[in-house]
Amino acid sequence: MRPLILALALALAVPAIALPASATATGPGHGSEHGSEHGPHRVQDLRDLARKLRINIGSAVDVAVLRAEPDYKARLNREFDHLTAENAMKWESVEPERGVYTWQDADEVVRNARRNGQQVRGHTLVWHNQLPAWLTTGVENGTIGATELRQILRDHITTQVRRYKGQVRAWDVVNEAFNEDGTPRQTIWLTHLGPGYIADAFRWAHRADPHAKLYLNDYNVEWNVPKIEATLTLIKQLQAQRVPIDGMGFQGHLGIQYDYPGDWANVMRRFADLGLEIAVTELDVRMVLPVTPEKLATQADYYGRALSDCLSVRACREFTVWGFTDRHSWVPGWFDGEGSACLLDENLAPKPAYDKLLTTRRVSGR
Ligand code: 9MR
């Protein structure tokens, strides 16, 4: 190849992966100079929206799909500026055998984010689900006692947070610590280490990456009063002990068969008033199948309200959905007869909820 042609080929190849796709999606064909909804000010996609709203808009990523489906990958990178590994950073994924670390999938998420100018939420360090069998069995049969378990948890947090130091913006340090009635969830952590495991986890994570934002994350905190109060009380206790906690994550697994959590913005504000950063970390809005235009309209309303609620609280700076296409969503596998929870359908066509988000604007105060 002659040098000029080689240089041209390189120039064409490199920016294609280095630039967010939205940056290349302007120009002829994408809006005219005449203004209106088709004009240059029209919001092009979710990344464009995120820039205009000055928040991050993210999605959970399924790494196997990221590798296997180019249209999924292209769309993810075009629409989102923040990523969460749906499963790849969970303990059973990164250390399936004791001392044997399998970072490939988690690395892939971080690498994809670096190449596409996306930030990362690390999910999750301390949880009761998706623990490796060697750990749960060892605790059950007594071969792993409390002292060793504490050491194992400390090593896990330190190793994982250090590995991604400077590359993970925010960590879900402790996930789903409470029951629906506000009592602490009886996990192996609480049972064997006592309630101090939460403060320990935040301190260990902070030592491993002092700049990462450290979050408590949970579901139903959008509306469930006992859970809200218990979580607020815990955070105040942690702050009184100078535990480095930075944020509260609201998962936001909603369904249109239930009322929209109308008090959500106020709840976010109560956490923000404690000085915390706020994130919507796992939003999806499921419905009882079959899909109808009416249900899609209601779903669009829920997505739009969730974004508006986040925007109405200055501290809310990340809005992440738990998957962006109905082709790959956890919902049908978990809720019999329910589905269609995402912004795009199986063919990656935008649903009304997607269009609703694009038209959402900032409210006063930000
Ligand atoms: O979406 C995840 C699904 O693929 C897993 O099978 C499941 C196992 O527990 O976890 C799902 O993600 C959960 C997240 O990690 C924590 N909040 C609830 C999410 C949906 O169950």
Side-chain angles (χ1 to χ4, degrees):
M1 206 184 275
R2 280 185 290 158
L4 182 63
I5 299 178
L6 178 66
L8 242 171
L10 281 175
L12 284 173
V14 174
I17 52 161
L19 283 177
S22 57
T24 59
T26 47
H30 287 269
S32 71
E33 317 82 308
H34 302 300
S36 86
E37 71 197 70
H38 299 298
H41 303 302
R42 181 175 164 256
V43 177
Q44 303 284 340
D45 51 39
L46 295 175
R47 275 184 97 129
D48 191 18
L49 180 70
R51 259 192 307 275
K52 292 195 162 103
L53 297 177
R54 277 176 273 127
I55 57 166
N56 290 109
I57 299 186
S59 176
V61 190
D62 180 325
V63 178
V65 179
L66 185 70
R67 290 204 183 96
E69 297 180 14
D71 61 340
Y72 173 98
K73 183 173 184 168
R75 197 62 187 244
L76 176 82
N77 292 332
R78 170 174 146 198
E79 300 283 356
F80 299 98
D81 66 8
H82 211 285
L83 303 182
T84 306
E86 185 172 358
N87 290 301
M89 288 192 183
K90 293 172 180 175
W91 201 331
E92 70 171 9
S93 304
V94 299
E95 196 187 4
E97 305 290 334
R98 189 164 183 182
V100 178
Y101 294 95
T102 45
W103 298 112
Q104 297 88 328
D105 287 2
D107 285 357
E108 185 62 36
V109 174
V110 174
R111 190 178 315 121
N112 185 87
R114 202 172 39 235
R115 285 183 180 158
N116 292 280
Q118 295 151 323
Q119 294 188 289
V120 178
R121 168 169 292 271
H123 176 79
T124 170
L125 297 169
V126 188
W127 196 25
H128 58 281
N129 275 337
Q130 292 178 283
L131 292 170
W134 62 263
L135 178 61
T136 47
T137 336
V139 171
E140 266 159 37
N141 65 24
T143 53
I144 297 175
T147 311
E148 191 180 358
L149 184 64
R150 188 164 185 274
Q151 189 58 44
I152 288 172
L153 182 62
R154 183 212 287 254
D155 289 348
H156 168 67
I157 292 174
T158 306
T159 307
Q160 187 155 359
V161 175
R162 252 196 214 145
R163 181 173 184 88
Y164 299 114
K165 187 175 178 196
Q167 304 189 73
V168 165
R169 184 190 76 77
W171 276 103
D172 293 332
V173 177
V174 177
N175 195 35
E176 304 172 2
F178 289 102
N179 296 313
E180 294 310 289
D181 65 0
T183 55
R185 194 190 286 273
Q186 296 293 314
T187 64
I188 61 168
W189 311 117
L190 182 64
T191 313
H192 296 272
L193 308 182
Y197 81 90
I198 296 180
D200 286 341
F202 277 91
R203 290 192 169 116
W204 292 329
H206 182 67
R207 238 169 266 158
D209 186 353
H211 296 299
K213 299 289 182 191
L214 304 182
Y215 272 66
L216 205 59
N217 190 47
D218 213 332
Y219 60 87
N220 291 355
V221 212
E222 300 83 36
W223 54 270
N224 184 339
V225 174
K227 220 172 185 178
I228 292 165
E229 298 305 333
T231 308
L232 284 165
T233 302
L234 168 66
I235 290 168
K236 286 180 201 159
Q237 286 165 354
L238 293 173
Q239 290 178 328
Q241 300 163 48
R242 306 189 146 280
V243 173
I245 176 168
D246 303 297
M248 181 63 205
F250 294 79
Q251 293 185 6
H253 293 292
L254 309 180
I256 61 162
Q257 65 273 39
Y258 313 109
D259 288 341
Y260 180 81
D263 209 32
W264 194 0
N266 287 325
V267 178
M268 288 186 197
R269 221 163 279 128
R270 290 184 68 193
F271 285 86
D273 285 347
L274 297 179
L276 295 187
E277 184 178 296
I278 304 297
V280 176
T281 54
E282 304 182 16
L283 184 67
D284 51 17
V285 183
R286 60 188 188 270
M287 61 183 68
V288 175
L289 301 173
V291 177
T292 65
E294 290 73 28
K295 289 181 194 171
L296 290 176
T298 308
Q299 178 185 53
D301 179 56
Y302 279 37
Y303 267 102
R305 287 173 78 177
L307 180 56
S308 295
D309 282 345
C310 169
L311 292 172
S312 74
V313 180
R314 190 179 283 272
C316 187
R317 51 104 69 229
E318 177 197 332
F319 181 82
T320 287
V321 294
W322 205 240
F324 62 94
T325 164
D326 293 333
R327 197 194 289 169
H328 302 287
S329 158
W330 71 293
V331 168
W334 288 72
F335 301 97
D336 231 12
E338 297 181 40
S340 191
C342 300
L343 293 170
L344 306 181
D345 72 11
E346 291 82 355
N347 301 313
L348 307 184
K351 292 156 68 179
Y354 176 90
D355 298 327
K356 181 77 190 182
L357 291 188
L358 288 196
T359 60
T360 303
R361 294 291 175 266
R362 254 185 294 144
V363 244
S364 60
R366 278 181 75 98

